[in-house]
Amino acid sequence: MNPCLLIPIYDHKDQIRGVLDSLAGFGLPCIVVDDGSGIETRAVLDAAEKDYGWLEVYHRDANGGRGAALTTGYRLAAKRGFSHAIQLDADGQHDARDVPRFVAAIEANPNALVLGTPIFDDSVPKSRLYGRQLSRFMVWLTTLSLDVSDPLCGFRGIPLAPALDLLEGSRLGSHMEFDPQFVIQLCWRGAPIVNLPTRVVYAAGGLSHFDFVRDNLRLIGVYGLALGGMLFRSPMLLARRASGGT
């Protein structure tokens, strides 16, 4: 097993250095995919790449969305010879101290998709909590299972071989809808799921690229299409459940 860290970023210039500092002691290579950030963020990233021998920064030419950045990152990590990517966000929401727990989870379950299950404090916006509950229900419905505790958390352990197989055979969204869509389709393919509780905080005044209208419409579209896909796949999914598979 050969894991790396993977961070997609778009204009989190004020947070990314702190995130990288928090990861420095784990001895893992890190790939940061810059999704067309502005000149100030690019400068911060380029300086960090010079300071950290374990860091590689890849600049996309233009902003394509979270899904586009993650797709680029998975392919780049596999090209570099990594077997897994431990994915976390650039805004400092995720607790870097849990990286060793994600490493241990993928070592114990190398074929599994390891999903962070957020433990929130009072900083979480109520709208995010309500939206998360709806997304959980829709993923349970579209996969005919309760295996996934949270389909939205960006702190994940990604097995790259099945991820690349999925990307080659399916068309996934380029924005915030990518995360639950990726989970649903790997579940359809029978990927084992491991849920790992992890602390998530929302910093006051933090920068979020989630567009309440556009991204919620994208999520509605993903879940609508997934319902149709579930109906088509339901005999296979039910047979797998009956036989004790994931």
Side-chain angles (χ1 to χ4, degrees), residues 1 83-84 103-114 157-162 192 194:
M1 197 190 72
S83 62
H84 293 75
V103 172
I106 63 176
E107 287 177 340
N109 307 274
N111 297 318
L113 174 61
V114 181
I158 308 293
L160 291 173
V194 173

Side-chain angles (χ1 to χ4, degrees), residues 87-245:
Q87 168 190 316
L88 64 164
D89 291 349
D91 56 7
Q93 288 187 1
H94 298 146
D95 190 346
R97 291 172 297 181
D98 280 342
V99 165
R101 296 178 60 229
F102 278 82
V103 172
I106 63 176
E107 287 177 340
N109 307 274
N111 297 318
L113 174 61
V114 181
L115 299 175
T117 301
I119 302 171
F120 293 115
D121 59 17
D122 292 338
S123 67
V124 60
K126 293 298 185 288
S127 61
R128 294 295 182 92
L129 282 179
Y130 301 146
R132 247 183 168 82
Q133 293 306 316
L134 178 59
S135 285
R136 291 176 72 201
F137 173 77
M138 292 305 299
V139 171
W140 293 344
L141 180 60
T142 56
T143 61
L144 297 180
S145 80
L146 302 177
D147 291 343
V148 175
S149 292
D150 187 284
L152 299 178
C153 183
F155 204 169
R156 299 179 168 186
I158 308 293
L160 291 173
L164 293 188
D165 285 344
L166 174 59
L167 294 175
E168 291 301 319
S170 304
R171 184 176 180 180
L172 274 64
S174 297
H175 296 85
M176 298 293 185
E177 75 277 18
F178 177 89
D179 283 325
Q181 191 177 30
F182 182 83
V183 171
I184 290 168
Q185 295 208 25
L186 275 187
C187 285
W188 284 349
R189 289 171 171 238
I193 302 296
V194 173
N195 299 294
L196 194 64
T198 184
R199 180 173 171 266
V200 176
V201 297
Y202 283 78
L207 175 64
S208 172
H209 297 300
F210 186 88
D211 185 285
F212 186 82
V213 175
R214 285 184 296 179
D215 285 315
N216 275 316
L217 287 174
R218 290 178 178 124
L219 288 171
I220 290 169
V222 162
Y223 296 140
L225 289 172
L227 282 172
M230 177 272 292
L231 293 174
F232 175 76
R233 293 172 174 83
S234 57
M236 175 191 68
L237 295 173
L238 291 171
R240 186 185 296 150
R241 302 300 298 178
S243 66

Side-chain angles (χ1 to χ4, degrees), residues 16-84:
I16 186 60
R17 191 71 187 226
V19 172
L20 293 172
D21 287 344
S22 71
L23 299 171
F26 297 126
L28 292 174
C30 180
I31 298 171
V32 172
V33 178
D34 169 28
D35 190 29
S37 296
I39 189 170
E40 292 181 344
T41 299
R42 290 175 64 93
V44 170
L45 292 173
D46 290 342
E49 188 174 29
K50 292 178 181 178
D51 291 341
Y52 295 125
W54 45 270
L55 174 64
E56 176 183 357
V57 176
Y58 180 89
H59 294 288
R60 287 172 49 86
D61 292 334
N63 177 248
R66 177 178 175 82
L70 288 171
T71 296
T72 297
Y74 298 162
R75 288 174 172 156
L76 185 60
K79 186 177 180 179
R80 297 291 186 266
F82 296 110
S83 62
H84 293 75

